[in-house]
Amino acid sequence: WRGNRHILVGHEDGCVRLYAYNTQNGSGSGGKSEGELVIVQALKPHIKNITKLYATKDDKYVLSASEDNTVFIYKCSGTDGNRLLEIIGFLQLDGVASYLTFSTENFSCLIGTENSLYYNFDLSPILEMDCSPTERLTYKLDFQPLQHFEFKSCKDQLIRDSNRARAEEIRAAEVKKKQTQLKARKDA
């Protein structure tokens, strides 16, 4: 995360932890020594290993992706000296996200998955969303992607077509051989 004092880390247990670099000497901050990392905030949004973290260029939003096929979106609050994350919600995917990017110009999120799926979500509705925990029954965002498609390899299709043609030739040769054998039996 782009901050002088903060590090955002996604862990194997599904936790996102925000650490701060303690710049106080030993007498400040509860006796912590200077140069020590301290946990400022810990969230457990995911149930599996976190694979990607993405912070927007303006440091207002963070996204986390996990092996649980979800992408969580967080709003960043505070200043560089005192950052915190607020969960906005999550998007459910049909695969593990391997690529994340976020456009603050049109407020859209582009996601690529390990199984060659591509999503483009319009996230502008979150700008007006009440994110207070007392008002929310679920964090799932029921947003439909603006675009959703699967990349398919041309080479794979050519190989499949070639294998299918070869299998059809073998089958035709076997049928012809059996027909010849049946004809030979009838003539004998």
Side-chain angles (χ1 to χ4, degrees):
W1 196 358
R2 297 167 190 83
N4 295 330
R5 293 192 46 223
H6 291 88
I7 299 170
L8 187 64
V9 180
H11 295 274
E12 289 180 352
D13 62 358
C15 283
V16 174
R17 291 186 180 91
L18 178 61
Y19 297 91
Y21 184 72
N22 182 17
T23 57
Q24 304 291 321
N25 58 20
S27 60
S29 187
K32 304 276 186 199
S33 63
E34 185 175 346
E36 185 177 23
L37 281 177
V38 293
I39 297 174
V40 174
Q41 185 179 18
L43 302 169
K44 176 96 166 90
H46 297 283
I47 58 173
K48 292 187 178 179
N49 181 35
I50 294 176
T51 57
K52 298 280 181 214
L53 287 173
Y54 179 86
T56 60
K57 292 178 183 175
D58 60 5
D59 285 335
K60 292 184 179 180
Y61 297 92
V62 170
L63 288 80
S64 65
S66 168
E67 291 174 354
D68 61 10
N69 296 351
T70 60
V71 172
F72 270 81
I73 304 159
Y74 314 85
K75 185 175 184 179
C76 305
S77 61
T79 62
D80 190 41
N82 190 23
R83 297 260 188 213
L84 287 177
L85 296 176
E86 181 180 352
I87 295 176
I88 294 173
F90 72 92
L91 301 168
Q92 186 70 50
L93 307 175
D94 291 327
V96 177
S98 58
Y99 176 79
L100 294 172
T101 190
F102 189 90
S103 170
T104 52
E105 292 174 14
N106 61 5
F107 229 71
S108 65
C109 175
L110 305 174
I111 304 169
T113 67
E114 290 178 350
N115 55 341
S116 302
L117 297 173
Y118 166 83
Y119 298 89
N120 179 3
F121 287 98
D122 173 19
L123 298 179
S124 58
I126 68 174
L127 294 171
E128 298 174 16
M129 185 181 285
D130 180 14
C131 295
S132 61
T134 56
E135 301 293 322
R136 311 268 309 269
L137 297 177
T138 179
Y139 283 103
K140 185 173 185 181
L141 301 172
D142 289 323
F143 298 161
Q144 297 302 313
L146 296 174
Q147 294 175 315
H148 177 236
F149 58 86
E150 181 178 1
F151 287 102
K152 294 189 179 182
S153 169
C154 179
K155 182 178 178 181
D156 289 344
Q157 185 63 47
L158 292 172
I159 291 170
R160 281 192 297 274
D161 291 346
S162 174
N163 290 341
R164 186 178 299 122
R166 196 170 329 128
E168 288 172 2
E169 288 172 8
I170 292 170
R171 172 111 170 99
E174 288 174 358
V175 167
K176 187 175 181 181
K177 181 179 175 182
K178 285 189 180 193
Q179 287 173 344
T180 305
Q181 289 173 348
L182 285 173
K183 186 177 180 183
R185 284 184 191 160
K186 284 183 183 180
D187 291 339

